[in-house]
Structures are given as C-alpha cells and as structure tokens.
Amino acid sequence: MSQQAVNGVSHRGRVLTLDSMNPNVKRVEYAVRGPIVQRAVQIEKELKEGAKKPFTEVIKANIGDAHAMGQKPITFFRQVLALCSYPALLEDSKFPEDAKQRARRVLEACGGHSIGAYSASQGIECIRQDVARYIEKRDGGIPSNPDNIYLSTGASDAIVTILKLLVCGEGRDRTGVMISIPQYPLYSAALADLGAVQINYYLDEDNCWSLNITELRRALSAAREHCNPRVLCIINPGNPTGQVQSRQCIEDVIRFAKEEHLFLMADEVYQDNVYAEGCQFHSFKKVLFEMGPEYSNTVEMASFHSTSKCYMGECGFRGGYMEVINLDPEVKAQLIKLVSVRLCPPVPGQALLDLVVNPPQPDEPSYATFMKERTAVLSALAEKARLTEQIFNTVPGITCNPVQGAMYTFPRITLPQKAIDKAKELGLVPDMFYCMRLLDEEGICLVPGSGFGQREGTYHFRMTILPPTEKLKVVLQKIREFQLRFTQEFS
C-alpha cells in the first residue's frame, strides 16, 4: 500500500475543495482588488524585470489609498504614534509638548502602558469618550453616549458586524438589505458572504447621482415579493459616485426608514471630503435628532467613520468607530459578545482615531502646522475634483458628474457596438474589456463600473482623484487619448 493511501489522502481526496467549501464565499466579489488589479501587479513585475511597455510605471487609480498615491502623513499624528510605539522618545526634546501629552494619555489607558497590550473589546474607554465629544461638537451639541460607541478595525469591520446581527431567516423570510447602485463592493461582498438578499436601489445619474425616494419605494415593494427587507444602507458622501446628500434628502430617507420599519446604516467615512459649492455634510444622526423625538426615539441606526479617508488617509492603521442609536439593550449585549470574539481593534489604530477626533487646539504648539497640512490636503482634493470633472467632460464619449465629495469620480463611457461585441466574444463585461485595454496600453489601473453596479446598458469606470495634481493631469490626458483611439478602432 502506498504511503499516500496510508495517510488517507489518495482514496479520500481533500477535505476542502471548491465543491465542498462554503458556497457563500464563492459568491463574494470585490472589484476594487479584482482581476484588473491582479493584472496590474503582474505588469509591474514585468516592468521590474525589464520588459518594454509603452509606459514606465503602472498608476493605480483603482483604490482610495491616499498614502500609496503620495499623500504625506499629518505630522502631529505620526509624532504621537511614534511616541506611543517607542515611549523612550518621550525624553526627546524634538517632539512638541502637546504630542507628548497625547501619547502619555493613550499609554496610561493601555495595559502595562503599552500599545502592544489588548484593549477592552469595545475600545479604550477614554478614546470612546473623545469620540462621543467629537460627535457632539460635530452635531451642534446633540448628546452622544460613549456606551453607544464601538471602536473598530476600519469602518468595514463595524459594517460587517452590524450586518451579522441583522441577517436571519430562510427562503422568503431571508433578510433583505437595500444598497445603492452604484455601491461600494464591501456591501455586496458582505451580503453574499452572510447569505443575505441584496436589494438594489439606483441613484439618479442624470441628477448628479442623487437619491430618490420613489426609487427606494420601487426597490422595496419589488423585494417584498421574495425576501424580508429590514435594512437600508446609505453612503454619504458617496462612493464610488462622489455625491453629497442634501439635508432634505436625508430627512426623506429617515421618514422612509421609519414608515417602512427599516434599520438605517449610514456610512459617513468621507464626512470631511466635501468640495462642491452649496454642498454641506449633514450627519444622519444630527438630522434624525433635529426631526424630533417621534424619529430620534424610534429609528434604529448605526453610523460609521474611519481614519482611512478625509484628510488623514491613514488606511493601514485600520482605525474606525460606529455609533449605534436606539439599539435594543439585549441586542447590545449580543453585539458586545460578537466584538469580544475578535478581542479588540488594533490599538495603534485606536490611538490614531483619538487624534483624529481630538486634534491640536488653537492654544497648542502643533496647531498651526496641523491646520496648514489639513487645509493643504483638502484644498488639493477640491482642486483635483474640479479638474477631473472639467477634463473628462471635454472628451467625446465620456460624461462626468461633478465630484461633490469623497475621493472618486464615476464617469459614464459610451462604447461603440463593435467594442461591446468584441468584449462578449472574449467573455468579458464591456467596461472590463475597456479597463483591461487601458491598463495594457497606458499603464493606468481603474475599476470597471460593473464592479460597483450600474443601470443595464450603461458603462462606467471608477477612478480615484488621489494622485498628485501633476500626475493626475497625466492620467486624465492618457485616458483622453485612449478613449479617442479606442472609439476610432471600434467605430
């Protein structure tokens, strides 16, 4: 008898195969790091090995990773994190006193005065208190309770945790979750993984990607035929579409959620990224409470924020929080149990979040530098948002809505019928074919609109506006040239 057979391998096969694995996982798709990015990585390797291409570098405009695109970290944040990581530096005179004070406060809240220790599962208490104070200040004094704050590993972790609590039922009773189309693929991926039902509601592209209550009603009544809709997710400012919801729209959404008895999830990670004139960020919580107790005492809601976006762009630290409103106390106990299983969010990420919600104040030595750096990042993004819209709208076959907020644009591309036929022949979605060609010919990595969802018969791509201004101009010019060439080839 062969050794293999003795070990029970050959005649029984593997325990885990594509056929025997969790079928929900196979349904998960995540376009932001999908096949196009894998191809981009492959091209980068080829360039390193000396392969000749029509370009010298791959520009990854596919993901909102600010520092990878050359954005410089905020000095104060990194000073405090350095002090927390290596407390011996507290003796160093090169560090400002306010940075040292922040670091000492964080370290005192850590077991053994080290950010290498676990924290409480819900997050370090004094940081949750700072988050609550930040929310109160942001919302004009509406109270926030630290007990309703849960620190998390980026916002994604908190979003998935809340969805886990909400998803139940079988067959027609399965939980339905309403998500905007186009959407950020974290939502569709999490719903596939959890076996929930995805309910699409379409944003109005002709109206600057606004949210329309009539469309919410249409999506909801269609979904009631085959599932139990219980959750409504909103991304504001929008990803991938960059729109900023008006206050009126937020009120309408809250009324709709109350009437239809839906749990509201407000993804507000781009709350500092608002550029367009006349646009302003309104938090769902603030509007909810200003609508009075009829709403603020009844509508169940979770809202999310993160250290990865805005002016910080500190994606790698995985800092974030959620605030829950009107959550049943017994469910809250279950939520604490669920977050306990993961032990705690990364403590350096919690420390960073504390600095974001409690930045240098006007009477502190680091204030001037901090404000200068923060303003520079946000005004550069506003400038790049304008530039992107302007240039794209001069290209035949590309139409681009104003980038009101966040850090992406989601332009519509008109593809010639021959290109659509060619894509089908190759077994590709037409906008994936377009983006693959763009990557191979110009070295620019974008995500096809099909990865985010779009109306039947329309094609888009998502591009981040994060590259430095000069590089962004190159990217826009290259896309312009490619679009003209591509259209000519297939017309």
Side-chain angles (χ1 to χ4, degrees):
M1 197 189 239
S2 77
Q3 189 57 39
Q4 251 196 327
V6 171
N7 292 338
V9 177
S10 64
H11 65 286
R12 293 181 60 185
R14 295 183 190 276
V15 172
L16 184 60
T17 65
L18 214 47
D19 292 331
S20 70
M21 70 175 282
N22 179 344
N24 288 345
V25 174
K26 287 191 279 188
R27 284 196 283 273
V28 170
E29 286 180 18
Y30 191 64
V32 176
R33 294 194 175 202
I36 198 128
V37 182
Q38 287 150 20
R39 174 77 186 122
V41 170
Q42 193 187 333
I43 292 174
E44 281 183 321
K45 273 198 188 125
E46 291 167 16
L47 284 170
K48 269 203 188 101
E49 288 157 9
K52 287 281 164 276
K53 303 265 180 200
F55 47 86
T56 53
E57 64 164 339
V58 173
I59 300 173
K60 289 190 183 135
N62 61 299
I63 194 164
D65 191 348
H67 293 195
M69 284 275 116
Q71 185 179 307
K72 294 280 171 279
I74 300 289
T75 306
F76 181 75
F77 292 173
R78 288 301 181 88
Q79 284 174 331
V80 179
L81 289 166
L83 292 162
C84 287
S85 302
Y86 190 56
L89 293 173
L90 287 162
E91 307 308 316
D92 191 323
S93 58
K94 285 199 281 292
F95 288 83
E97 198 45 50
D98 51 349
K100 289 181 179 179
Q101 278 169 344
R102 299 301 159 90
R104 284 191 196 102
R105 184 165 175 265
V106 169
L107 290 169
E108 273 163 27
C110 293
H113 294 247
S114 167
I115 58 167
Y118 288 130
S119 78
S121 299
Q122 203 172 332
I124 293 171
E125 188 168 355
C126 69
I127 298 179
R128 287 190 291 115
Q129 288 166 352
D130 286 349
V131 170
R133 272 193 288 273
Y134 162 84
I135 293 171
E136 269 179 33
K137 190 176 171 193
R138 179 197 71 188
D139 293 345
I142 291 160
S144 173
N145 180 349
D147 283 348
N148 291 336
I149 308 285
Y150 294 75
L151 305 191
S152 57
T153 308
S156 315
D157 172 50
I159 289 166
V160 172
T161 301
I162 285 290
L163 286 171
K164 268 188 186 167
L165 288 175
L166 283 155
V167 173
C168 66
E170 291 299 328
R172 282 191 61 164
D173 286 335
R174 199 88 190 113
T175 295
V177 179
M178 303 183 73
I179 65 171
S180 59
I181 298 295
Q183 53 107 21
Y184 176 53
L186 161 72
Y187 290 90
S188 52
L191 298 178
D193 186 17
L194 295 167
V197 179
Q198 176 179 322
I199 304 169
N200 296 340
Y201 65 87
Y202 290 90
L203 298 174
D204 182 357
E205 182 169 12
D206 297 332
N207 205 349
C208 211
W209 296 114
S210 64
L211 196 165
N212 184 315
I213 295 297
T214 315
E215 169 58 13
L216 284 182
R217 289 195 195 290
R218 178 208 63 77
L220 185 76
S221 57
R224 286 209 163 119
E225 301 295 309
H226 60 91
C227 69
N228 176 18
R230 302 175 69 203
V231 193
L232 170 57
C233 299
I234 310 277
I235 309 174
N236 179 48
N239 173 10
T241 42
Q243 84 288 6
V244 178
Q245 304 294 2
S246 68
R247 194 199 150 90
Q248 183 57 54
C249 170
I250 294 171
E251 280 189 24
D252 292 346
V253 168
I254 290 170
R255 272 191 207 97
F256 174 79
K258 182 180 190 297
E259 280 164 28
E260 302 296 347
H261 202 57
L262 299 170
F263 189 104
L264 255 183
M265 290 176 64
D267 178 339
E268 299 176 329
V269 303
Y270 296 98
Q271 55 190 261
D272 289 331
N273 299 105
V274 177
Y275 319 118
E277 277 207 14
C279 284
Q280 195 189 340
F281 170 74
H282 300 278
S283 80
F284 265 79
K285 180 181 177 199
K286 180 175 196 270
V287 177
L288 177 72
F289 276 77
E290 287 174 351
M291 286 170 74
E294 179 194 347
Y295 295 94
S296 61
N297 290 341
T298 58
V299 175
E300 293 154 77
M301 184 174 91
S303 58
F304 309 90
H305 195 15
S306 151
T307 61
S308 302
K309 309 300 174 187
C310 301
Y311 63 93
M312 304 82 74
E314 293 278 13
C315 304
F317 277 98
R318 310 308 299 127
Y321 74 76
M322 69 172 159
E323 181 181 30
V324 296
I325 307 288
N326 295 322
L327 203 61
D328 181 302
E330 289 178 308
V331 172
K332 236 172 158 179
Q334 297 295 317
L335 172 56
I336 291 184
K337 179 179 78 179
L338 201 51
V339 297
S340 303
V341 174
R342 301 226 184 128
L343 296 172
C344 69
V347 176
Q350 295 186 49
L352 175 67
L353 177 68
D354 192 50
L355 306 171
V356 171
V357 298
N358 183 17
Q361 297 307 302
D363 58 349
E364 293 183 309
S366 301
Y367 180 76
T369 306
F370 169 77
M371 285 310 287
K372 188 176 151 204
E373 291 175 346
R374 180 186 189 276
T375 307
V377 171
L378 291 173
S379 51
L381 282 168
E383 170 60 24
K384 291 188 275 192
R386 278 193 297 276
L387 187 73
T388 302
E389 179 203 348
Q390 228 172 336
I391 292 178
F392 274 150
N393 282 328
T394 64
V395 185
I398 296 184
T399 43
C400 180
N401 268 316
V403 182
Q404 297 176 329
M407 40 183 73
Y408 313 97
T409 178
F410 198 68
R412 185 161 169 174
I413 41 176
T414 307
L415 299 179
Q417 189 54 47
K418 279 185 185 167
I420 295 170
D421 297 342
K422 179 70 180 165
K424 291 210 171 105
E425 197 185 301
L426 295 168
L428 291 172
V429 182
D431 50 17
M432 174 61 97
F433 173 58
Y434 180 94
C435 289
M436 279 293 190
R437 283 282 301 261
L438 175 68
L439 176 61
D440 280 329
E441 292 173 28
E442 299 287 356
I444 291 168
C445 181
L446 304 177
V447 193
S450 46
F452 299 87
Q454 52 199 350
R455 279 196 185 274
E456 193 66 38
T458 68
Y459 304 107
H460 302 79
F461 58 77
R462 185 188 84 159
M463 181 185 103
T464 145
I465 60 169
L466 287 169
T469 308
E470 289 317 304
K471 193 173 269 193
L472 182 66
K473 285 178 182 166
V474 171
V475 169
L476 294 167
Q477 186 54 35
K478 282 182 161 204
I479 293 172
R480 179 197 175 88
E481 286 162 12
F482 172 79
Q483 165 72 11
L484 297 173
R485 206 169 59 235
F486 184 87
T487 307
Q488 202 175 354
E489 181 186 338
F490 289 102
S491 58

